[in-house]
Amino acid sequence: MVLAVSNAVRPTLIALSHLRWDFVFQRPQHLLTRAATDYDVIVVEEPIWTDAAAPGVEFLDREHGIRVAQPTLPHGTSAADSLDHQRRVLDGLVANIKGSLTVWYYTPMALPFSRHIAADVTVFDKMDELSAFANPPPLLLALEAELLERADVVFTGGAAMHKASVHRHANIHCFPSSIDTAHFGAARDGMPDPADQAAIAHPRIGFFGVIDERMDIALVGEVAALRPDWQIVMIGPTAKIDPAHLPQAANLHWLGGKSYVDLPPYLANWDVGFMPFAINDATKFISPTKTPEFLAAGLPVVSTAIADVIAPYGDLGLVEIASTAADTVAAIERVMARDRGPWLAKVDAQLASGSWDQVWSDMHALMRAVTPSTTNLKETARV
């Protein structure tokens, strides 16, 4: 018997992102590594400024078959020349595609160099309200409005953002942060303490994630001052804030960024998870991925009043919500004293309802449901 050999060409997904692939493993990485089972995935990052004499592009091969394209530009390149170069890089990638093309946006700021591409499907994964961050680009809101008109399907990163955006697109769907339960669940079985944490005393109150304008730095310092016998362990890179402005104390430990693979051993040796988000425009619509990750690790969690943490996690009694430093200290004392058995049972029931695998499967089904009548320029030349 002769076996038939498939000559089908795999489809390509090009993701246009304002986030560096190697910075922090978060929503784009969770989704696009899963997309790589169905697509050839290329992530196009924002340019990197260099001392080189001419523009260029660096290609990085990452796990799961992800290819990252980093345009490089000489210092002093004009905005117009920067867009021209990014357009040429994108056109070069598209010219080599033989199968169908999906263009997946994380930032509307990519539109000026990509709007001419005739994708088979255009996706906008609106994971953050970028216009609410400090010093947003002046054209951001106008470009987002254009992207919402062009997109075939829109995903939002949380319920609060979906509620605020649902009227802006006919095919918009809410996909809050999900969980790789097995990865973080390994922390429940006990793991060796990482070397840079082993000498830190208990109780340990821990945070992991990007340390930026969304963090209530003052709250962190106040909690540390109120309980000098507690050790506050802060893991993550800083962005958009001066590390010199971080509060310092004998019981405050800033351990820097860690890889996604290395996180469970840290969480396995903490007593409480801490989410000290500031309540400001930048956090109004966030859906912190770390909420279910802390829970999967079996850690009780205390968070400030973030809408997508209150509902569902606070309302279900899975996360304690606190506003002031005194409230935070009281909440941490409560969760350290309680019997975790009944709480963990409720946690596991909630986490069983979702996973990143399921999120990608549901998103992919919506993408496949896009019909030619709702897509943009599919019959025209690709570039």
Side-chain angles (χ1 to χ4, degrees):
M1 180 176 68
V2 178
L3 297 177
V5 177
S6 172
N7 292 317
V9 177
R10 273 169 60 88
T12 297
L13 186 154
I14 294 180
L16 304 174
S17 180
H18 59 296
L19 299 167
R20 299 288 176 200
W21 185 261
D22 293 332
F23 182 51
V24 173
F25 199 96
Q26 53 189 312
R27 180 184 179 96
Q29 287 83 351
H30 280 295
L31 292 174
L32 296 177
T33 55
R34 287 162 174 81
T37 62
D38 302 292
Y39 297 82
D40 290 335
V41 176
I42 305 170
V43 178
V44 180
E45 296 184 347
E46 292 182 337
I48 292 176
W49 299 91
T50 74
D51 294 325
V57 59
E58 297 287 337
F59 291 102
L60 310 173
D61 291 321
R62 293 296 181 253
E63 290 184 331
H64 307 282
I66 303 293
R67 191 160 214 222
V68 179
Q70 295 179 334
T72 59
L73 290 168
H75 292 293
T77 301
S78 69
D81 287 344
S82 172
L83 286 177
D84 285 344
H85 179 56
Q86 291 175 84
R87 187 180 297 110
R88 287 193 298 271
V89 168
L90 182 59
D91 287 351
L93 293 171
V94 172
N96 292 318
I97 293 172
K98 306 301 182 185
S100 66
L101 171 63
T102 293
V103 177
W104 179 294
Y105 286 86
Y106 275 109
T107 172
M109 297 306 295
L111 264 181
F113 65 86
S114 66
R115 60 166 61 96
H116 64 292
I117 300 295
D120 296 282
V121 178
T122 299
V123 177
F124 180 20
D125 187 17
K126 185 176 166 64
M127 66 174 282
D128 286 314
E129 185 55 64
L130 296 177
S131 64
F133 284 29
N135 305 312
L139 292 176
L140 179 61
L141 288 176
L143 289 172
E144 180 175 282
E146 179 184 346
L147 180 54
L148 285 166
E149 287 207 5
R150 299 176 64 87
D152 298 304
V153 59
V154 178
F155 306 131
T156 64
M161 188 182 300
H162 186 261
K163 183 178 180 180
S165 306
V166 67
H167 65 285
R168 302 184 67 190
H169 198 278
N171 192 20
I172 186 169
H173 306 270
C174 181
F175 286 101
S177 298
S178 196
I179 179 65
D180 181 347
T181 302
H183 181 71
F184 286 95
R188 296 193 191 187
D189 299 326
M191 306 179 83
D193 217 352
D196 61 346
Q197 183 175 263
I200 298 174
H202 286 266
R204 296 173 182 167
I205 318 303
F207 167 88
F208 69 95
V210 181
I211 297 166
D212 60 12
E213 66 201 275
R214 294 170 295 178
M215 178 174 286
D216 190 337
I217 298 298
L219 176 63
V220 174
E222 290 164 7
V223 170
L226 285 173
R227 289 295 183 272
D229 56 325
W230 292 357
Q231 305 303 311
I232 314 298
V233 180
M234 306 294 289
I235 287 177
T238 57
K240 297 185 179 181
I241 61 173
D242 185 349
H245 295 161
L246 299 176
Q248 302 296 320
N251 64 330
L252 254 175
H253 309 273
W254 304 94
L255 300 188
K258 308 297 176 185
S259 73
Y260 181 73
V261 170
D262 291 337
L263 287 174
Y266 286 92
L267 275 64
N269 293 283
W270 292 350
D271 298 285
V272 176
F274 187 25
M275 303 205 310
F277 290 108
I279 305 302
N280 58 28
D281 288 344
T283 62
K284 186 175 181 180
F285 299 111
I286 64 171
S287 176
T289 307
K290 63 187 57 56
T291 312
E293 292 172 344
F294 272 136
L295 296 175
L299 275 173
V301 185
V302 176
S303 173
T304 49
I306 299 300
D308 279 11
V309 178
I310 295 171
Y313 300 103
D315 293 342
L316 292 173
L318 306 181
V319 172
E320 293 285 322
I321 306 298
S323 298
T324 66
D327 290 343
T328 300
V329 166
I332 292 172
E333 289 174 336
R334 284 196 303 273
V335 299
M336 286 198 294
R338 76 182 173 198
D339 177 4
R340 292 194 188 182
W343 170 79
L344 275 175
K346 292 197 298 182
V347 164
D348 290 343
Q350 174 67 18
L351 296 183
S353 64
S355 68
W356 284 115
D357 288 339
Q358 187 61 53
V359 169
W360 167 248
S361 178
D362 292 346
M363 285 180 165
H364 195 206
L366 291 165
M367 293 159 62
R368 291 196 302 266
V370 170
T371 61
S373 62
T374 61
T375 56
N376 299 312
L377 305 175
K378 303 307 184 289
E379 301 303 319
T380 66
R382 181 145 282 163
V383 294

